[in-house]
Amino acid sequence: MSEEFYRIKRLPPYVIAEVNAMRHAARQSGRDIIDLGMGNPDHPPPKHVTDKLCEVAAKPGAHGYSQSKGIPGLRKAQANYYARRFGVELDPEREVVVTMGSKEGLSSMATAITAPGDVVLAPSPSYPIHTFGFIIAGATIRSVPTTPDEHYWKALDNAMAFTVPRPTVLVVNYPSNPTAETVDLAFYDRLVDWARENSVWVMSDLAYSELYYDGKPTRSILEVPGAKDVAVEFTSMSKTYSMAGWRMGFAVGNQKLIAALTRVKSYLDYGAFTPIQAAAVAALNGPQDVVEENRKRYQHRRDVMVESFGRAGWDIPVPPASMFAWAPIPEAFQDVGSLEFSKQLLERAGVAVAAGVGYGEEGEGYVRIAMVENEQRIRQAARNVKRFLSEGAAKPGETE
Ligand SMILES: Cc1ncc(COP(=O)(O)O)c(C=O)c1O
C-alpha cells in the first residue's frame, strides 16, 4: 500500500505553489503584497453577460444536466466568432466542442488521443498543461523551443529523425504563456505543411487570441487552407471577457479530433451549467467593445510596467501580446536562480511574480510578470523593485 501511484509519481511538486504559499503567509501577517504572479484577470466580465447569467439561473428549467459538447447556440456563436475574426468557416455540429475552460479541453484531448508511450512534442518553457496533460495520459514529452526561428524547425526535424516511436502530436501556443512570443501566418503555413509531411497532429492553444497590442492581431492556424486536416485549436473566454472562474472554452477544427474529444467528454462530464453557457453566448454575440477596452487596459499596463521597471533598473522586453512580461532575472541575481529570486522579491519588495523554472527547464533565468494589477500598483511595484535592486542579492536562506 505504500507505493506511490503511477501518475502521481510523474507529477513533480508544483514549483509555483511554494511562492504562492509564501505570498499567502505574508498577506495573512498583514503585509501588502503586489500580486503579479498568477494570470487571473482583475476585472469583472461585461454587465450584460452577468445579467444573462442571473436571468437564466432564475429559470426553474435551467438547473438540470446540460449537454456535454455544449448547447447548440454556443457552438454556433463560437463558429460565428471564427468567421468574423479569422474568416474561418466551422461546422458547429462537427468542428466545434465547448470545454470547461481550455485547460480541461487540452487535458481531455490528451486523454482521448494518447496511447501509453506515445511521444508528444511540447514547448519548453510552457504552460504546464501542455506537457502534464499528456504525461497524465501516459505520454513521454520531447521538448521543443518556443522561439519560432530556424532553430525551431531544426528541433522539429531532429525530433522526427531521432525519436522512437515517432512523435504523434505537436503542441503550439502563440501568443505564448509564459514567453509572450507571437507568430505570423507564414509560420502556421509552414507548420501545416510540416505536420502533413510528418503525419503529426497539431494542438494550437490560442488562449490569448484577443490580447494583442500595437494593432497587430493574433492569427489562427485554421486560417491556413487545409489546416483542418491536421489541427485543432483551443480558445478561452477567461482572458478575452475576464471570465476565468466561469470555466468556459472551446476546441475547434479537425473533425476526427473533435469527435474523439467529444466522445471522451461524454463519458466524463455533463457540460457546463446551462446559465453559464447561455451567458457565454451573450458574450460572444453581444457588443465587442469590452474586448477592445480590455486590450487597451492591458496594453497601457504593459507600457507602464516596461517604462517604470526600466527606470528602476530592470529592463523588461516589451511583450507584443498576452497578459505577461517574460523578464530575464536582473544581472546581480542571475546566480541565485528564478525560484530564489522570486522569493527574495516577495520577501524584500512585496512583489509576487512567477519563477520561470516553474514552466520547465528552459524557463530558468526568467520570471513571468502578470499585468493583473492597476497602473498605480504597478508603479508602486517598480518603486519597491528599485529599492530592492539597490540593496543587491541576499544569500539563499538569508531572507526573513
Ligand atoms: C496558454 C494558456 N492556455 C490555457 C490556459 C487555461 O485557460 P482556461 O481558463 O480557458 O482553462 C491558460 C491560462 O492561463 C493559458 O495561459
Side-chain angles (χ1 to χ4, degrees), residues 250-270:
F250 301 90
V252 306
N254 180 273
Q255 292 189 8
K256 188 170 176 182
L257 292 172
I258 294 297
L261 173 58
T262 307
R263 179 87 168 263
V264 160
K265 281 179 64 59
S266 74
Y267 281 84
L268 289 178
D269 67 61
Y270 288 110

Side-chain angles (χ1 to χ4, degrees), residues 39 100-104 106 127 129-130 173 175 177 205 207-208 235-239 244 247-249 324:
M100 293 182 184
S102 54
K103 191 177 185 186
E104 182 271 325
L106 278 152
Y127 180 62
I129 202 69
H130 297 155
N173 168 220
N177 176 9
D205 180 346
Y208 298 96
T235 57
S236 170
M237 304 197 70
S238 296
K239 318 293 159 97
R247 313 312 301 127
M248 194 38 64
F324 307 110

Side-chain angles (χ1 to χ4, degrees), residues 5 10 29 37 61 98 134 136 153 163 171 195 297 322 332 336 383:
F5 298 115
R10 281 157 183 75
S29 71
V98 179
F134 288 96
I136 291 169
W153 298 106
T163 317
V171 181
R297 185 182 315 117
S322 86
V336 303
R383 284 193 289 276

Side-chain angles (χ1 to χ4, degrees), residues 16 19-20 23 27 33-40 42 301 304-306 308-309 314 316 323-326 342 345-346 349-355 359 367-382 384-385:
I16 297 158
V19 184
N20 285 350
R23 185 197 54 210
R27 279 194 164 152
I33 300 296
I34 301 169
D35 189 359
L36 310 177
M38 196 176 176
N40 205 1
D42 58 324
R301 288 177 179 182
V304 168
M305 175 181 289
V306 169
S308 60
F309 277 52
W314 189 359
I316 293 175
M323 60 201 297
F324 307 110
W326 184 238
S342 306
L345 195 63
L346 180 71
V351 177
V353 296
Y359 301 90
V367 293
R368 194 195 71 176
I369 309 176
M371 301 180 272
V372 289
E373 295 245 26
N374 66 32
E375 173 180 347
Q376 202 191 350
R377 299 273 289 166
I378 291 172
R379 289 194 192 283
Q380 181 61 52
N384 296 2
V385 161

Side-chain angles (χ1 to χ4, degrees), residues 1-11:
M1 291 294 253
S2 63
E3 244 184 71
E4 246 196 293
F5 298 115
Y6 172 83
R7 288 192 171 74
I8 303 305
K9 261 198 296 198
R10 281 157 183 75
L11 300 178

